[in-house]
Amino acid sequence: MAENIKDLNLPDFHIVIPARYASQRFPQKLMADLGGKPVLQWVYELALKAGAQSVTVATDHEVIEAAALAFGASVVMTRADHENGTERLAEVAAKRGWSSNEIIVNVQGDEPFLPVALIHSSVQALNQDQEAEMATVACAIDQVEDFFNPNVVKVVCDDKQRALYFSRSPMPWDRDGFANNPDKTGFLPVDFPAFRHIGLYVYRASLLARYADLPMSPLERWEKLEQLRFLHQGIKVQVAIADGLPTHGVDTLEDLEKLRHQLSLENI
């Protein structure tokens, strides 16, 4: 694994795993058992495989802290009033004293099967675009129902692969194609540039240091998409394109049961 990472010629980067104890849809999900260990431990162990300079669990709850320390994680206790994971990352970056140009990856604590390759591609994307201050990931949409599903966030990019806009609405719009297919059935047009946003974020520490001073934009308020706060401020967001959609994380008990079933099949 080390040789593969070295061959990628990645810059130095840090991984921070924001870990909330409470969750509206699935309370204490990070502590739920998955194949004999907590969901959070799976995430920490995949983060270690990415070759980061450091991997830190960021939490405000003693139960998460104790569990993370028990499986050997480095933990930073953060304030309890953060509204989202980005604010928690900003506090960790400040406490660690990371310099302004250091790269920090936000790996969600409920994504136990996140492909390490996505971390690498997003870090590379940000490193190769020195004008961008953050990066994220997307993959092609090939199903019509996903394209029109408001729970599937879409992104359109410019010719430098920077995000122009994120939306829950279908975009871009094939005016003639959809006019001739009013029921929106069948397949999307060939080579149609429809991309689904995957919520993995990579930041420069300088952007995290300014995050608290960035006001919520009207676009973010309407769409309920935090990344629109950055675009509204003119911040350049580089988008890495993945080969496909990664395994879904743990949002509900049903998600957890699906992952348990997947593990049981792999262990047969």
Side-chain angles (χ1 to χ4, degrees):
M1 184 56 149
E3 290 183 0
N4 292 337
I5 294 173
K6 186 175 181 180
D7 291 342
L8 290 171
N9 196 27
L10 291 169
D12 291 337
F13 64 96
H14 304 276
I15 292 176
V16 177
I17 306 170
R20 292 178 62 245
Y21 184 68
S23 174
Q24 289 184 342
R25 285 190 288 178
F26 186 3
Q28 305 174 31
K29 63 182 180 180
L30 301 190
M31 294 294 94
D33 179 80
L34 177 61
K37 53 190 175 186
V39 168
L40 181 61
Q41 185 173 349
W42 284 89
V43 178
Y44 177 74
E45 290 174 357
L46 77 83
L48 290 178
K49 297 175 183 177
Q53 276 190 300
S54 68
V55 178
T56 304
V57 172
T59 187
D60 60 2
H61 201 283
E62 293 81 1
V63 170
I64 295 284
E65 179 190 30
L69 291 173
F71 58 72
S74 173
V75 181
V76 169
M77 291 296 288
T78 60
R79 301 198 318 270
D81 60 347
H82 290 311
E83 293 185 1
N84 52 51
T86 307
E87 291 185 0
R88 212 173 296 280
L89 255 70
E91 183 179 352
V92 172
K95 285 184 172 180
R96 294 294 198 201
W98 291 329
S99 61
S100 61
N101 204 42
E102 296 216 50
I103 294 175
I104 302 159
V105 184
N106 180 348
V107 173
Q108 298 295 331
D110 57 4
E111 296 282 351
F113 294 155
L114 179 74
V116 171
L118 289 189
I119 298 174
H120 293 161
S121 61
S122 57
V123 168
Q124 284 180 319
L126 183 58
N127 185 57
Q128 292 168 2
D129 186 349
Q130 292 303 308
E131 294 182 9
E133 293 186 81
M134 62 180 289
T136 189
V137 184
C139 66
I141 297 175
D142 56 11
Q143 300 295 321
V144 170
E145 54 268 30
D146 288 341
F147 186 66
F148 289 97
N149 184 350
N151 294 317
V152 174
V153 178
K154 275 68 70 172
V155 58
V156 291
C157 301
D158 64 14
D159 64 353
K160 294 182 179 179
Q161 208 54 45
R162 294 172 182 163
L164 289 170
Y165 193 63
F166 296 89
S167 182
R168 298 183 182 278
S169 298
M171 64 177 196
W173 188 258
D174 179 13
R175 188 194 67 174
D176 295 337
F178 293 138
N180 295 327
N181 183 18
D183 294 331
K184 313 298 188 298
T185 58
F187 297 93
L188 294 173
V190 177
D191 298 327
F192 188 58
F195 290 94
R196 175 183 190 140
H197 179 229
I198 299 171
L200 174 68
Y201 294 102
V202 182
Y203 305 92
R204 298 193 193 279
S206 57
L207 176 58
L208 291 175
R210 307 195 327 265
Y211 181 77
D213 297 325
L214 298 179
M216 178 182 289
S217 74
L219 297 172
E220 177 187 0
R221 187 176 300 112
W222 291 325
E223 295 253 23
K224 297 296 185 284
L225 297 174
E226 181 191 350
Q227 58 269 40
L228 292 176
R229 183 180 309 191
F230 300 103
L231 293 186
H232 189 77
Q233 296 294 325
I235 292 165
K236 296 178 175 63
V237 181
Q238 182 62 222
V239 181
I241 303 301
D243 292 334
L245 188 65
T247 301
H248 189 66
V250 182
D251 290 331
T252 65
L253 180 58
E254 290 73 20
D255 293 334
L256 180 64
E257 292 299 337
K258 289 179 182 178
L259 294 183
R260 285 172 173 168
H261 179 66
Q262 180 179 330
L263 276 179
S264 68
L265 293 178
E266 292 175 355
N267 292 330
I268 292 176

